[in-house]
Amino acid sequence: FVMILLGLFRNDGIMRLLGLLALVVPLIRLFVIDVQDVLHRIIAFAAAAVVLTVLGYLYHRLSARLNSD
């Protein structure tokens, strides 16, 4: 999250991309390797959905605000 926010505030596209990649790698590992039980998989999907929704909202709000300045 820090890399994405720094990329937004500095208007640096590469930093935002690296931040998104830094989030994708652990999510893939979580769902492919770590979560084997069905209940834990459901909880992990729900938590990931909440985190990604909040991240998308913040990304949209901050990028619109910073691009308008």
Side-chain angles (χ1 to χ4, degrees), residues 14-69:
I14 294 178
M15 183 71 82
R16 289 190 307 250
L17 182 63
L18 289 175
L20 289 173
L21 287 175
L23 281 175
V24 168
V25 171
L27 281 175
I28 291 173
R29 183 179 181 271
L30 174 70
F31 293 119
V32 172
I33 297 171
D34 293 341
V35 180
Q36 299 299 325
D37 185 26
V38 175
L39 179 63
H40 291 122
R41 186 174 295 246
I42 292 170
I43 293 169
F45 271 114
V50 169
V51 168
L52 291 175
T53 301
V54 169
L55 179 65
Y57 175 75
L58 289 175
Y59 188 85
H60 179 71
R61 293 286 289 182
L62 288 176
S63 67
R65 185 178 304 163
L66 293 173
N67 288 335
S68 67
D69 290 343

